[in-house]
Amino acid sequence: MILYSYGDIRAMVHRSLDDASMVSVFPTETAVRFWTNDYVRTSEKGILRHDSTMAWDTFRSHFLPTGDAAPVNGFIRHLFALHLLGDPDTAASLQWFRHPTFPESVGNLASTVASLLPKLQEIERMRLVKGESYDRLPLAYRNDAARLQVAYGDFLAKRNLFEPRYLLPSVGNLPSGFERNYRIFFPEVCDGWEEFTLMSHVPAWIETCSADASKTESSLQVYENELMELRACMRRIGELLDTGQDFADIVVTVGNLERWRPYLEHEALLCDIPLAIVEGLSPLQYPPGRFFQSIQEVHAQSFSLDAMKSFLLDPRMPWKDAKVQRDLILRGLELSVVQGNPNPRKDDWQVKLARSLVKTDAQLLIWYKAFKVRISSVVAAKDAESLMQAVYVLQEFLLETGSWSETEGGDLHSSVYAYCLHQLSELGKAVRSCGFTTTQALVSLFVQFLGKQQYIPRDRPPGIPVFSYTVSAGLCPRYHFLLGCTQEDIGQHTDQLPLVPEPIWRDDAANDRTGLFLDHYRVMARQVHISMAQATFGNSSALAPSWFVDHDAIEMQRYVPADARTREQAAWAAAGATPFKANAMQSRWFDQACRTAFLPPRFDMADNKAVFSVWDRSCKGEGHLSLSATALDMFFACPMKWASSYLLHLGKGTFDTVSLDHAAVGILLHEILARFFQRVREESGVFRKELVDRYEVLLSASIDEVFTRFAHSPQAPVHTTVQYIAERYGTELKAILNAEGDMFDGFASWGFEISLEHLYAQSDCLLNGRIDRILVQDHADGTQTVAVVDYKKTYRGSRKAYDNYAQGLPSHQLPLYAKLIRDSDSTELGQVGTAAFYSIEKGKYIPIWEESQEERRDGMIAILEEHMLHMVDALRQGRLGATPSKQACANCDYRQICRRRYALV
Ligand code: SF4
């Protein structure tokens, strides 16, 4: 029987379901569920006998031969392929399915061969009845397929197994009492129908009902890009729901659901449209699956810092001892660990932690060793039982006890974990039925297999069902939205064989079932919306299906955004409000915001008004404020920044791998310069320009000593990085010889890394600073010139920036040092005559003031004193208002927690 319209189809299916003597067969279980629901929901009876419907697969299975042999499954196919390719003689005999130059590719090839095994019979059939298609296959491929068929047949026969896909239907296999009246709906989209019709005799008690779209007009709506297409669809569905349409009346089908899924879920959430994606995710997308995958990755990547980081810092896992793991990674970063090694003496983690002087590293080393042993035993397991055992041991070591229970029916993660363990035991059964005693890389096979499975959670919330293309064949809803219908994504080709170049099967018209499915979808709904976009989410361009091009049925669509934000912008632009109906989720958000974010905060420390006194906390109970140049700089850049750092003690914690630790390099450079000038002092008292050649030897010795020690320290980065640091900075440092000669010829180094502090009782401030170097020059008249120097690895400032010091100091550092030296009794030095930064990168001094510029120096010190008073006053009053600016916020560590950064445009 041929059905031409939505009404005819529904009427016929319902008539069939009404008929107690008839069994209705639908293409899939999904279609069975759809029609059963539809009938129960809309028919007068409201009830249906469970044996009046059947899925095509179940129906067909009654026509297949039965015996005492067991069917193979994906695990068995994969194990067979793995062992076959692992055998050097068999592998050498293959021409297409081997890569002799890449022996490590066996794992991937095994997966391809496993997917080919069920199709070997089809290739044979192709050879017999479709000679032309068969001849299109490369000769090496045909030869390998024949070899594989012989080996596979042999393997199955020896183990009393059978390949379900090789069985052919026959009436002779029917069990007694099966004969009833069967009506097969939509046989054109039933998998294996063609083969079924080739049976020598098709019983008369089977009748068919096909859907025919020849009288249906359809068009393809084409959008500029897939986001527009998706949003237009969501809007249309939203309108339908607003008019009271039932979820069950709407179905969404997507050409490539895997690609669309994240966008679909995101947009649906924003629009408050409840979608129920019928297809499950791979268990690897859930934490328990990821747990197994990470074990394999950590081992495959030799315990590299990156692999360890992504596993041990994964916040989704119920870690037993997350702190130890975090500490281990932090130490790994600090010690520049690259990767582990089976040999403890070559294992970066073990070597560096063992050599470290930090006390807590010993504990981390013990933990790491235990972790390594457990991971290695999971990976080394060659049979499923020992793999399962090793997994339990690792789980007990890493995870909170009882966090993922191993029984189905617990929370989602427990269920997924139970599912993974069930798959593992299935793997064990498969290994046993294959008769293999050991299998290499079992965990990797298991993870690969998990990646191909779909986990479907039991309690899926109700919503509009979303299917992949072809999965929804046989459904006939009121509204069907077919999205992403590009030629590529809805193409259906039989005889699509793995590892065969696409043009070979794509151009074979006999294998093309694209039109057949499209015709089916075109007629199977009251309203069918078929759409695609010219640009995909991946930003590649897509082509329209040829049917629409041939029938001149393409409609270009212009997308007009109509979400809340766009409407609000339009309302502002037009200076007039337009009515907007918020959906349920938007109303919820608004209500919540009215009670939280829209209210002024009780304590807004970022606001420039007194909130509460922070003075006591700033003084840490000492009665005075301890102030350094960095604290002052930070406060005057932005008080909020200072409060975050000094008051709240928030520090930037980074888990990023750095190939070059700039702070550590800075410390090394300071040490080299201190050593060098110490030697100069011992050698000649004052620096003499004419002795530069001799000084060069001293400097080289200091550079060598410090970098050699660094290269052997536990925190040393890889050898090449150490070499780079030594070469680059070794060269740059030499420039100080001439710069020193020009600037401080005749000066003696008075002290290095000198810590000074002085209490200013009047302002309740304890000023402190650590000065890189103080120099003095004694004059014949008994007077003395004092100079201070601060080394900078890279210095971006300039002397000019200090010319307008009255408007603000670029840095309080040198004026603060000058003030400390002047006021401190411990040095007994006078006023600082010269203050300069030394840029190691540029190899030159940048003096901020020099001899005879007392006015400039005193001016800067006066500004510093003003700032001290101002800061004390602000803290006493509790004023910490943020002062956002492009400059201050650009590299601020607290951007992520600061609301004021939004003030920047
Ligand atoms: S982001 Fe800007 S405003 Fe916020 S604390 Fe940092 S510097 Fe201040």
Side-chain angles (χ1 to χ4, degrees), residues 35 40 75 93 117 143 150 269 350 455 485 590 734 768 853 871 882:
W35 284 111
V40 170
F75 275 130
S93 70
L117 295 175
N143 289 341
V150 172
L269 191 71
Q350 287 183 246
Y455 177 79
C485 291
F590 189 73
K734 301 267 171 67
N768 57 63
Q853 288 187 318
M871 186 169 167

PDB file of all heavy atoms in Angstrom, residues 35 40 75 93 117 143 150 269 350 455 485 590 734 768 853 871 882:
ATOM      1  N   TRP A  35       4.867   5.600  17.851  1.00  0.00           N
ATOM      2  CA  TRP A  35       3.487   5.296  17.443  1.00  0.00           C
ATOM      3  C   TRP A  35       2.668   4.775  18.624  1.00  0.00           C
ATOM      4  O   TRP A  35       1.472   5.041  18.717  1.00  0.00           O
ATOM      5  CB  TRP A  35       3.489   4.292  16.282  1.00  0.00           C
ATOM      6  CG  TRP A  35       3.874   4.967  14.992  1.00  0.00           C
ATOM      7  CD1 TRP A  35       5.014   4.796  14.288  1.00  0.00           C
ATOM      8  CD2 TRP A  35       3.118   5.960  14.284  1.00  0.00           C
ATOM      9  NE1 TRP A  35       5.040   5.615  13.173  1.00  0.00           N
ATOM     10  CE2 TRP A  35       3.872   6.345  13.157  1.00  0.00           C
ATOM     11  CE3 TRP A  35       1.894   6.585  14.502  1.00  0.00           C
ATOM     12  CZ2 TRP A  35       3.433   7.291  12.244  1.00  0.00           C
ATOM     13  CZ3 TRP A  35       1.448   7.532  13.571  1.00  0.00           C
ATOM     14  CH2 TRP A  35       2.219   7.873  12.458  1.00  0.00           C
ATOM     15  N   VAL A  40      -1.767   5.825  22.142  1.00  0.00           N
ATOM     16  CA  VAL A  40      -2.306   5.875  23.512  1.00  0.00           C
ATOM     17  C   VAL A  40      -2.799   7.281  23.834  1.00  0.00           C
ATOM     18  O   VAL A  40      -3.809   7.479  24.495  1.00  0.00           O
ATOM     19  CB  VAL A  40      -1.218   5.412  24.512  1.00  0.00           C
ATOM     20  CG1 VAL A  40      -1.637   5.676  25.944  1.00  0.00           C
ATOM     21  CG2 VAL A  40      -0.920   3.939  24.311  1.00  0.00           C
ATOM     22  N   PHE A  75      33.686  -6.275  20.807  1.00  0.00           N
ATOM     23  CA  PHE A  75      34.924  -6.637  21.496  1.00  0.00           C
ATOM     24  C   PHE A  75      35.628  -7.785  20.761  1.00  0.00           C
ATOM     25  O   PHE A  75      36.842  -7.748  20.537  1.00  0.00           O
ATOM     26  CB  PHE A  75      34.620  -7.101  22.927  1.00  0.00           C
ATOM     27  CG  PHE A  75      34.512  -5.979  23.912  1.00  0.00           C
ATOM     28  CD1 PHE A  75      33.417  -5.887  24.765  1.00  0.00           C
ATOM     29  CD2 PHE A  75      35.510  -5.023  24.016  1.00  0.00           C
ATOM     30  CE1 PHE A  75      33.320  -4.852  25.683  1.00  0.00           C
ATOM     31  CE2 PHE A  75      35.418  -3.994  24.933  1.00  0.00           C
ATOM     32  CZ  PHE A  75      34.319  -3.913  25.761  1.00  0.00           C
ATOM     33  N   SER A  93      51.451 -10.359   5.061  1.00  0.00           N
ATOM     34  CA  SER A  93      50.739 -10.803   3.858  1.00  0.00           C
ATOM     35  C   SER A  93      49.697  -9.788   3.397  1.00  0.00           C
ATOM     36  O   SER A  93      49.198  -9.864   2.286  1.00  0.00           O
ATOM     37  CB  SER A  93      50.068 -12.160   4.123  1.00  0.00           C
ATOM     38  OG  SER A  93      48.994 -11.947   5.020  1.00  0.00           O
ATOM     39  N   LEU A 117      34.930  -6.287   9.266  1.00  0.00           N
ATOM     40  CA  LEU A 117      34.588  -7.709   9.373  1.00  0.00           C
ATOM     41  C   LEU A 117      33.112  -8.005   9.080  1.00  0.00           C
ATOM     42  O   LEU A 117      32.815  -8.906   8.274  1.00  0.00           O
ATOM     43  CB  LEU A 117      34.975  -8.243  10.759  1.00  0.00           C
ATOM     44  CG  LEU A 117      36.482  -8.252  11.047  1.00  0.00           C
ATOM     45  CD1 LEU A 117      36.760  -8.687  12.471  1.00  0.00           C
ATOM     46  CD2 LEU A 117      37.226  -9.148  10.063  1.00  0.00           C
ATOM     47  N   ASN A 143      42.005  -8.041  -2.397  1.00  0.00           N
ATOM     48  CA  ASN A 143      42.818  -9.197  -1.973  1.00  0.00           C
ATOM     49  C   ASN A 143      42.838  -9.326  -0.456  1.00  0.00           C
ATOM     50  O   ASN A 143      42.677 -10.408   0.094  1.00  0.00           O
ATOM     51  CB  ASN A 143      44.262  -9.045  -2.475  1.00  0.00           C
ATOM     52  CG  ASN A 143      44.325  -9.230  -3.976  1.00  0.00           C
ATOM     53  OD1 ASN A 143      43.390  -9.800  -4.567  1.00  0.00           O
ATOM     54  ND2 ASN A 143      45.382  -8.759  -4.614  1.00  0.00           N
ATOM     55  N   VAL A 150      38.837 -15.335   4.939  1.00  0.00           N
ATOM     56  CA  VAL A 150      39.278 -16.710   5.225  1.00  0.00           C
ATOM     57  C   VAL A 150      39.698 -16.813   6.701  1.00  0.00           C
ATOM     58  O   VAL A 150      39.261 -17.704   7.438  1.00  0.00           O
ATOM     59  CB  VAL A 150      40.460 -17.095   4.301  1.00  0.00           C
ATOM     60  CG1 VAL A 150      41.050 -18.433   4.722  1.00  0.00           C
ATOM     61  CG2 VAL A 150      39.992 -17.136   2.852  1.00  0.00           C
ATOM     62  N   LEU A 269      19.066  26.145  25.960  1.00  0.00           N
ATOM     63  CA  LEU A 269      19.085  26.585  27.354  1.00  0.00           C
ATOM     64  C   LEU A 269      18.785  28.081  27.442  1.00  0.00           C
ATOM     65  O   LEU A 269      17.992  28.531  28.263  1.00  0.00           O
ATOM     66  CB  LEU A 269      20.464  26.280  27.950  1.00  0.00           C
ATOM     67  CG  LEU A 269      20.585  26.420  29.442  1.00  0.00           C
ATOM     68  CD1 LEU A 269      19.821  25.295  30.131  1.00  0.00           C
ATOM     69  CD2 LEU A 269      22.050  26.354  29.863  1.00  0.00           C
ATOM     70  N   GLN A 350      60.837  11.672  40.034  1.00  0.00           N
ATOM     71  CA  GLN A 350      61.535  11.016  41.136  1.00  0.00           C
ATOM     72  C   GLN A 350      62.873  11.679  41.415  1.00  0.00           C
ATOM     73  O   GLN A 350      63.224  11.932  42.566  1.00  0.00           O
ATOM     74  CB  GLN A 350      61.697   9.520  40.849  1.00  0.00           C
ATOM     75  CG  GLN A 350      60.367   8.796  40.994  1.00  0.00           C
ATOM     76  CD  GLN A 350      60.478   7.308  40.801  1.00  0.00           C
ATOM     77  OE1 GLN A 350      59.946   6.788  39.859  1.00  0.00           O
ATOM     78  NE2 GLN A 350      61.146   6.610  41.687  1.00  0.00           N
ATOM     79  N   TYR A 455      26.314   6.167  26.170  1.00  0.00           N
ATOM     80  CA  TYR A 455      25.637   5.929  27.445  1.00  0.00           C
ATOM     81  C   TYR A 455      24.361   6.771  27.455  1.00  0.00           C
ATOM     82  O   TYR A 455      24.418   7.997  27.303  1.00  0.00           O
ATOM     83  CB  TYR A 455      26.551   6.301  28.621  1.00  0.00           C
ATOM     84  CG  TYR A 455      25.831   6.117  29.930  1.00  0.00           C
ATOM     85  CD1 TYR A 455      25.686   4.846  30.473  1.00  0.00           C
ATOM     86  CD2 TYR A 455      25.235   7.188  30.584  1.00  0.00           C
ATOM     87  CE1 TYR A 455      24.973   4.650  31.641  1.00  0.00           C
ATOM     88  CE2 TYR A 455      24.523   7.002  31.756  1.00  0.00           C
ATOM     89  CZ  TYR A 455      24.393   5.728  32.274  1.00  0.00           C
ATOM     90  OH  TYR A 455      23.673   5.538  33.423  1.00  0.00           O
ATOM     91  N   CYS A 485      20.680  20.157   7.076  1.00  0.00           N
ATOM     92  CA  CYS A 485      20.501  19.178   5.986  1.00  0.00           C
ATOM     93  C   CYS A 485      21.404  19.525   4.811  1.00  0.00           C
ATOM     94  O   CYS A 485      20.929  19.896   3.723  1.00  0.00           O
ATOM     95  CB  CYS A 485      19.042  19.139   5.550  1.00  0.00           C
ATOM     96  SG  CYS A 485      18.017  18.420   6.817  1.00  0.00           S
ATOM     97  N   PHE A 590      15.344  36.963  36.228  1.00  0.00           N
ATOM     98  CA  PHE A 590      15.092  38.355  36.602  1.00  0.00           C
ATOM     99  C   PHE A 590      14.719  38.437  38.079  1.00  0.00           C
ATOM    100  O   PHE A 590      15.221  39.281  38.808  1.00  0.00           O
ATOM    101  CB  PHE A 590      13.978  38.925  35.713  1.00  0.00           C
ATOM    102  CG  PHE A 590      13.797  40.397  35.887  1.00  0.00           C
ATOM    103  CD1 PHE A 590      14.723  41.294  35.370  1.00  0.00           C
ATOM    104  CD2 PHE A 590      12.718  40.896  36.603  1.00  0.00           C
ATOM    105  CE1 PHE A 590      14.578  42.652  35.557  1.00  0.00           C
ATOM    106  CE2 PHE A 590      12.565  42.251  36.793  1.00  0.00           C
ATOM    107  CZ  PHE A 590      13.498  43.129  36.267  1.00  0.00           C
ATOM    108  N   LYS A 734      77.279  41.345  30.226  1.00  0.00           N
ATOM    109  CA  LYS A 734      78.611  41.927  29.967  1.00  0.00           C
ATOM    110  C   LYS A 734      78.539  43.437  29.718  1.00  0.00           C
ATOM    111  O   LYS A 734      79.497  44.170  29.945  1.00  0.00           O
ATOM    112  CB  LYS A 734      79.259  41.240  28.756  1.00  0.00           C
ATOM    113  CG  LYS A 734      79.445  39.734  28.911  1.00  0.00           C
ATOM    114  CD  LYS A 734      80.815  39.401  29.459  1.00  0.00           C
ATOM    115  CE  LYS A 734      80.989  37.956  29.841  1.00  0.00           C
ATOM    116  NZ  LYS A 734      80.977  36.995  28.768  1.00  0.00           N
ATOM    117  N   ASN A 768      59.938  50.224  54.604  1.00  0.00           N
ATOM    118  CA  ASN A 768      61.027  49.251  54.449  1.00  0.00           C
ATOM    119  C   ASN A 768      61.366  49.049  52.979  1.00  0.00           C
ATOM    120  O   ASN A 768      60.539  49.299  52.090  1.00  0.00           O
ATOM    121  CB  ASN A 768      60.668  47.917  55.116  1.00  0.00           C
ATOM    122  CG  ASN A 768      59.384  47.353  54.572  1.00  0.00           C
ATOM    123  OD1 ASN A 768      59.307  47.044  53.390  1.00  0.00           O
ATOM    124  ND2 ASN A 768      58.355  47.264  55.411  1.00  0.00           N
ATOM    125  N   GLN A 853      70.998  67.567  41.374  1.00  0.00           N
ATOM    126  CA  GLN A 853      69.545  67.650  41.112  1.00  0.00           C
ATOM    127  C   GLN A 853      68.796  67.425  42.420  1.00  0.00           C
ATOM    128  O   GLN A 853      67.829  66.665  42.490  1.00  0.00           O
ATOM    129  CB  GLN A 853      69.131  66.595  40.075  1.00  0.00           C
ATOM    130  CG  GLN A 853      69.619  66.926  38.669  1.00  0.00           C
ATOM    131  CD  GLN A 853      69.052  65.979  37.634  1.00  0.00           C
ATOM    132  OE1 GLN A 853      68.979  64.778  37.873  1.00  0.00           O
ATOM    133  NE2 GLN A 853      68.682  66.522  36.493  1.00  0.00           N
ATOM    134  N   MET A 871      47.725  57.468  52.149  1.00  0.00           N
ATOM    135  CA  MET A 871      47.361  56.050  52.234  1.00  0.00           C
ATOM    136  C   MET A 871      46.909  55.693  53.652  1.00  0.00           C
ATOM    137  O   MET A 871      45.898  54.998  53.837  1.00  0.00           O
ATOM    138  CB  MET A 871      48.564  55.190  51.819  1.00  0.00           C
ATOM    139  CG  MET A 871      48.235  53.727  51.740  1.00  0.00           C
ATOM    140  SD  MET A 871      49.578  52.838  50.954  1.00  0.00           S
ATOM    141  CE  MET A 871      49.104  51.164  51.361  1.00  0.00           C
ATOM    142  N   ALA A 882      38.136  51.373  44.036  1.00  0.00           N
ATOM    143  CA  ALA A 882      38.982  51.018  42.889  1.00  0.00           C
ATOM    144  C   ALA A 882      39.112  52.208  41.953  1.00  0.00           C
ATOM    145  O   ALA A 882      38.203  53.019  41.823  1.00  0.00           O
ATOM    146  CB  ALA A 882      38.356  49.846  42.149  1.00  0.00           C
TER     147      ALA A 882
END
